[in-house]
Amino acid sequence: MINPLPNTHTQVVYQRPKSLTTAVTHYCPGCTHGVSQRLVAEVLDEMGLREKAIGVASVGCSVFAYNYFDVDFVEAAHGRAPAMATGIKRVFPDRTVFTYQGDGDLASIGMAEVMHAAARGENITIIFINNAIYGMTGGQMAPTTLPGMKTTSSPLGRDIEMTGMPIRMAELLSKMDGSSFVVRRSLHDATNIRKAKKAIRTAFEVQQQGLGFSLVELLSTCPTNWDLTPNEALSFVEEKMIPYFELGDYKVADAVKALKL
Amino acid sequence: MPAKGWIEVNELHCKGCELCVQACPQEVMSLDKTRLTPKGYHPVQLHAEGCTGCAICAVVCPEAALTVYRQIESRPVAAAA
């Protein structure tokens, strides 16, 4: 390591956000789960919400989020995070309530909860990590697994004749009348990570203004279960996932546009 | 003259995933293969001069293991007059 320059004035350009604890994560090296939770922590820091935020963790690799965020956190039953967040938000309307869910949790077992939360227009924020696989349980096929993609429960590749096509959650939720802000972003390079952070910030602003349901879908990697190196996994997101899960703003309600963020 | 910067690596958090190595526009980062962190990974390091403190490594780091510093350039005061 090169020694810091002696006798010069320096500024800190980047440091670990205060809304993250010092705990070492259980994520595999190169997993972009860490990026998404770091972005949420940065936004909470910037908006001064650290003492006012309540997070709801889901089941999956995101299950230990309560150990990593230095904000109040609860753990919901599998898929039920939006229902729990609804209860918390209705009891504490002045708090910022968010859930942090993966695709196995939100798009599979938790489909009913998230659809009804959006239908009711609950004033909560959902951070949805889509890595097209069940990471924690050993790489089984998820509702978001791409056609032909090999997983431990589809060793010959996903057969769309038998299991259908992947579910595009952002498009689905954007059709609900109750949703206000539904976007999809990716975490495969620095530019897209910055765009993702801006979207997360807007989602929290939407909640603060009481404008209703906001969801940010983030395309993420799972190097271990995809059997790729971390950098190859980023290329997989760019070349294989983005053509199917197209990035974009799927629902931005007029009231959200009027915020001019 | 480009800005000068450097990074500090929190070796408890760094898992040697090499995302920052790939992302670094100056290509001055690499894994230190001679050392292991307490968790058993090779930590990332600056292996050459040229870091500008752009913080792109920190933007892509999944573990928030990097702190990025930049030298403040002294501006000529007389230029305003």
Side-chain angles (χ1 to χ4, degrees):
Chain A
M1 172 133 182
I2 294 168
N3 284 331
L5 310 168
N7 306 323
T8 50
H9 294 290
T10 59
Q11 66 178 13
V12 178
V13 184
Y14 184 89
Q15 62 183 350
R16 190 180 172 85
K18 294 200 165 40
S19 294
L20 285 183
T21 64
T22 54
V24 177
T25 67
H26 73 289
Y27 301 128
C28 307
C31 174
T32 48
H33 245 301
V35 175
S36 57
Q37 71 179 28
R38 199 197 72 220
L39 295 181
V40 174
E42 286 175 11
V43 169
L44 291 175
D45 275 7
E46 286 170 14
M47 295 176 70
L49 293 174
R50 194 171 154 211
E51 300 296 327
K52 286 188 195 159
I54 301 176
V56 184
S58 67
V59 172
C61 279
S62 49
V63 69
F64 293 122
Y66 50 76
N67 285 334
Y68 308 144
F69 282 105
D70 198 8
V71 302
D72 289 338
F73 237 91
V74 283
E75 165 62 40
H78 199 353
R80 274 59 178 167
M84 202 170 194
T86 299
I88 295 169
K89 186 70 184 179
R90 289 185 178 194
V91 174
F92 296 113
D94 59 325
R95 305 299 175 93
T96 300
V97 182
F98 68 96
T99 74
Y100 186 86
Q101 300 177 264
D103 52 337
D105 186 82
L106 183 137
S108 182
I109 192 170
M111 181 63 101
E113 279 69 21
V114 73
M115 293 305 285
H116 284 277
R120 294 190 304 268
E122 287 299 338
N123 195 23
I124 56 174
T125 299
I126 293 181
I127 311 297
F128 168 41
I129 318 298
N130 178 359
N131 58 7
I133 210 161
Y134 281 84
M136 176 184 249
T137 50
Q140 289 84 2
M141 192 179 80
T144 44
T145 297
L146 298 172
M149 189 171 160
K150 287 183 183 174
T151 67
T152 52
S153 57
S154 61
L156 300 175
R158 180 173 183 160
D159 178 5
I160 56 170
E161 292 293 321
M162 192 166 70
T163 58
M165 294 293 281
I167 301 176
R168 296 183 175 109
M169 285 308 292
E171 286 89 330
L172 195 58
L173 288 162
S174 68
K175 300 296 178 202
M176 307 297 286
D177 289 335
S179 59
S180 295
F181 183 71
V182 180
V183 298
R184 183 183 287 126
R185 296 287 185 267
S186 172
L187 300 173
H188 71 275
D189 63 21
T191 316
N192 282 283
I193 290 171
R194 288 201 167 107
K195 286 180 184 165
K197 182 178 173 184
K198 190 152 186 290
I200 293 170
R201 168 125 199 179
T202 308
F204 280 114
E205 297 274 3
V206 166
Q207 183 182 160
Q208 289 229 297
Q209 302 292 328
L211 298 178
F213 184 87
S214 53
L215 178 139
V216 181
E217 175 173 344
L218 300 168
L219 299 185
S220 183
T221 63
C222 186
T224 302
N225 289 310
W226 291 357
D227 202 14
L228 298 171
T229 67
N231 278 314
E232 286 167 357
L234 296 184
S235 306
F236 183 88
V237 171
E238 190 176 4
E239 290 157 18
K240 302 281 171 60
M241 281 183 82
I242 291 180
Y244 190 85
F245 297 107
E246 286 177 17
L247 308 182
D249 299 354
Y250 287 96
K251 177 106 174 243
V252 183
D254 292 339
V256 177
K257 281 181 195 154
L259 286 177
K260 288 181 183 163
L261 294 168
Chain B
M1 197 181 84
K4 279 189 180 177
W6 65 93
I7 58 167
E8 225 172 61
V9 183
N10 182 335
E11 297 199 352
L12 195 61
H13 289 116
C14 179
K15 291 178 180 169
C17 69
E18 294 194 292
L19 292 189
C20 53
V21 174
Q22 173 103 349
C24 178
Q26 305 296 325
E27 300 177 1
V28 291
M29 298 178 79
S30 63
L31 295 191
D32 186 351
K33 300 277 183 174
T34 61
R35 293 175 51 244
L36 288 172
T37 68
K39 292 280 179 186
Y41 299 106
H42 293 302
V44 74
Q45 62 169 355
L46 286 180
H47 67 77
E49 294 206 11
C51 175
T52 61
C54 69
I56 284 177
C57 51
V59 169
V60 300
C61 177
E63 303 296 330
L66 301 173
T67 309
V68 183
Y69 300 90
R70 182 178 266 177
Q71 180 183 4
I72 296 177
E73 300 199 22
S74 55
R75 291 183 186 148
V77 184

